[in-house]
Amino acid sequence: MIELTVDNFEPEVLEQDTPVLVDWWGETCENCLALMPAVEELYEQYGDQIRFTKFNTSQKKVRRFCIQHKILGLPVISIYQNGEKIDEVAKDDCTKEAIEEMIQKYI
């Protein structure tokens, strides 16, 4: 799974023509940390069919960047393709089943 930063977000996510899953998470977000094992399992299952990445929103100086990408609460799992966000599950809807259902639409 690719660790994203502000500097590599564009080439690793926005410049890809294949679907890219972005796991937006934070170090102090209990729900994010609880969801991580499920995302890892999905990565093991679907990692050869969809690009998996994760963005730690606890990095320094990323608040504006997150707001630009409409990440206003956590956890959020987004799918991007050709520079556009095409799907997303967020907050209480972030379950392994919901993420897997979203992934299956794009593989």
Side-chain angles (χ1 to χ4, degrees):
M1 194 172 312
I2 298 165
E3 295 275 348
L4 297 173
T5 65
V6 171
D7 295 331
N8 72 356
F9 190 87
E10 189 168 334
E12 296 291 352
V13 177
L14 300 180
E15 294 177 0
Q16 301 297 316
D17 55 359
T18 57
V20 180
L21 179 144
V22 179
D23 176 6
W24 300 88
W25 70 284
E27 294 171 2
T28 59
C29 171
E30 291 180 19
N31 291 334
C32 298
L33 299 175
L35 189 61
M36 265 187 199
V39 174
E40 291 287 337
E41 287 176 27
L42 292 168
Y43 170 63
E44 290 175 19
Q45 187 173 352
Y46 296 103
D48 59 340
Q49 299 172 64
I50 190 168
R51 185 181 187 97
F52 275 73
T53 66
K54 56 184 174 178
F55 191 100
N56 181 352
T57 62
S58 300
Q59 299 171 67
K60 292 185 179 196
K61 300 184 180 181
V62 298
R63 182 175 168 84
R64 283 188 183 166
F65 181 82
C66 292
I67 291 170
Q68 288 172 343
H69 287 275
K70 296 181 173 63
I71 306 304
L72 305 174
L74 295 174
V76 176
I77 306 289
S78 304
I79 304 264
Y80 288 78
Q81 189 169 10
N82 296 317
E84 300 284 327
K85 186 187 300 186
I86 57 173
D87 211 342
E88 179 174 275
V89 292
K91 299 183 184 172
D92 293 339
D93 294 333
C94 269
T95 64
K96 181 180 179 185
E97 294 77 18
I99 299 166
E100 185 170 21
E101 185 177 310
M102 182 175 64
I103 289 168
Q104 289 178 347
K105 288 193 257 180
Y106 302 103
I107 59 173

